[in-house]
Amino acid sequence: MLDILKAIIFGIVEGITEWLPISSTGHLIILEELIKLDQGDAFFEMFQVVIQLGAILAVVVIYFHRLNPFSPKKTQKQKMLTWQTWVKVVIGCIPAGVVGILFDDWIDSVLYHWYVVAATLIIYGVLFIVVENYQKGKEPQVTKMSQLTIPMVLIIGVFQMLSMIPGTSRSGATIVGALMIGVSRSLAAEYTFFLAIPVMFGASLVKLFKFGLNFTGMQVAVLLIGMAVSFAVSIVAIKFLMNYIRKNDFKIFGYYRIILGAIVFLYFGISALLA
């Protein structure tokens, strides 16, 4: 039963940090130091990725009508625009998809270290502040999904690819990339949510198949509860972010990332020296 409680805690952290641009990996690596599931390292590694499926479902539920090209409530033009949105999502996912398939194991073995996480937390935190200061007072050039061009989509896709470096934050990287090319904050966030659907679903499937589909009853319970909690918390986190950025910029998240990165550096650095 202790693992059930741990799964709930992991689900809460995943649901909050997956959508706010503050790095779920950065938080999970600290949480992992405090609590760990008693189901083996292979299961735990898979668990941290697969509970993202709950977070994906939250996006699907919130934006179901917007993303459904078959809705009888939509006109033909609206259906066509919905298909165009999906095309732009698929194109935006290509860079991360290619790199993920080719280098997933290498990224896990070479880049998944505390100092990489700490560095990227700080680097992208600074980027948020710099980009927001640069864009201050400027009107965004792109405010609608229909205004996103293929080159813009590919640029944002490259930033999503960079988010495969642990600690970067997938939402953080794509939002920074979108802001840099003149996309409005709300559209940048929404497009980030949509990009997550195929990317996170694909990553979860890869981890599931690598682990194998032989689960114990407790492991199934832990996975389902983690996903359910991640789903519920993600609903709240997504709505909070969209309401927040209507009146505020992303600089607060930049400062938060810098502080968290410093904490990771100090905690793990001191632990390494004392080991």
Side-chain angles (χ1 to χ4, degrees):
M1 291 301 293
L2 186 57
D3 270 358
I4 298 297
L5 178 59
K6 291 177 182 178
I8 292 172
I9 295 172
F10 272 100
I12 292 171
V13 173
E14 166 62 26
I16 295 172
T17 60
E18 186 61 51
W19 304 114
L20 302 187
I22 53 178
S23 173
S24 59
T25 304
H27 289 77
L28 291 175
I29 195 174
I30 295 175
L31 185 60
E32 185 180 346
E33 285 292 302
L34 303 175
I35 60 173
K36 198 165 186 176
L37 298 175
D38 299 322
Q39 303 294 326
D41 291 340
F43 176 83
F44 184 68
E45 180 185 342
M46 178 272 299
F47 168 81
Q48 292 185 83
V49 176
V50 174
I51 58 173
Q52 295 175 345
L53 288 173
I56 297 171
L57 186 57
V59 174
V60 174
V61 169
I62 292 174
Y63 292 98
F64 182 77
H65 177 71
R66 176 109 172 254
L67 293 171
N68 180 14
F70 304 106
S71 173
K73 297 180 181 179
K74 288 184 175 181
T75 64
Q76 281 302 119
K77 181 179 179 180
Q78 289 173 326
K79 290 178 180 180
M80 181 188 69
L81 290 173
T82 304
W83 280 116
Q84 288 179 0
T85 295
W86 276 111
V87 169
K88 292 174 182 178
V89 167
V90 171
I91 293 173
C93 289
I94 290 174
V98 171
V99 172
I101 291 171
L102 295 178
F103 300 104
D104 180 61
D105 291 335
W106 182 85
I107 290 170
D108 284 346
S109 61
V110 176
L111 297 181
Y112 201 94
H113 297 289
W114 65 266
Y115 47 84
V116 175
V117 172
T120 51
L121 277 167
I122 293 171
I123 289 169
Y124 276 85
V126 172
L127 270 177
F128 263 123
I129 297 168
V130 170
V131 170
E132 283 287 11
N133 285 338
Y134 178 75
Q135 297 288 358
K136 188 175 182 179
K138 296 181 179 179
E139 287 295 322
Q141 299 174 344
V142 181
T143 59
K144 298 178 182 178
M145 190 69 68
S146 59
Q147 295 175 316
L148 275 178
T149 64
I150 299 304
M152 287 178 175
V153 165
L154 285 172
I155 289 171
I156 298 172
V158 169
F159 272 87
Q160 179 172 242
M161 177 191 71
L162 294 175
S163 73
M164 299 182 74
I165 301 172
T168 299
S169 169
R170 192 196 55 76
S171 61
T174 53
I175 287 172
V176 163
L179 292 178
M180 288 176 67
I181 59 175
V183 178
S184 69
R185 294 188 189 96
S186 57
L187 179 58
E190 285 187 348
Y191 185 62
T192 292
F193 299 156
F194 301 163
L195 280 178
I197 296 174
V199 168
M200 292 166 62
F201 184 74
S204 298
L205 284 182
V206 168
K207 291 294 183 183
L208 276 172
F209 282 113
K210 282 187 177 180
F211 179 78
L213 300 178
N214 300 315
F215 299 103
T216 65
M218 176 56 72
Q219 288 174 338
V220 171
V222 166
L223 265 181
L224 292 178
I225 289 172
M227 288 168 56
V229 173
S230 175
F231 166 77
V233 176
S234 289
I235 293 283
V236 177
I238 291 170
K239 290 184 177 181
F240 163 79
L241 181 62
M242 295 309 297
N243 287 329
Y244 178 84
I245 61 178
R246 288 190 181 101
K247 298 180 180 179
N248 304 277
D249 59 28
F250 284 103
K251 284 197 285 189
I252 186 65
F253 300 113
Y255 292 121
Y256 179 87
R257 290 177 64 96
I258 293 170
I259 294 170
L260 180 64
I263 291 172
V264 172
F265 259 127
L266 288 173
Y267 177 84
F268 287 96
I270 292 172
S271 297
L273 289 174
L274 296 177

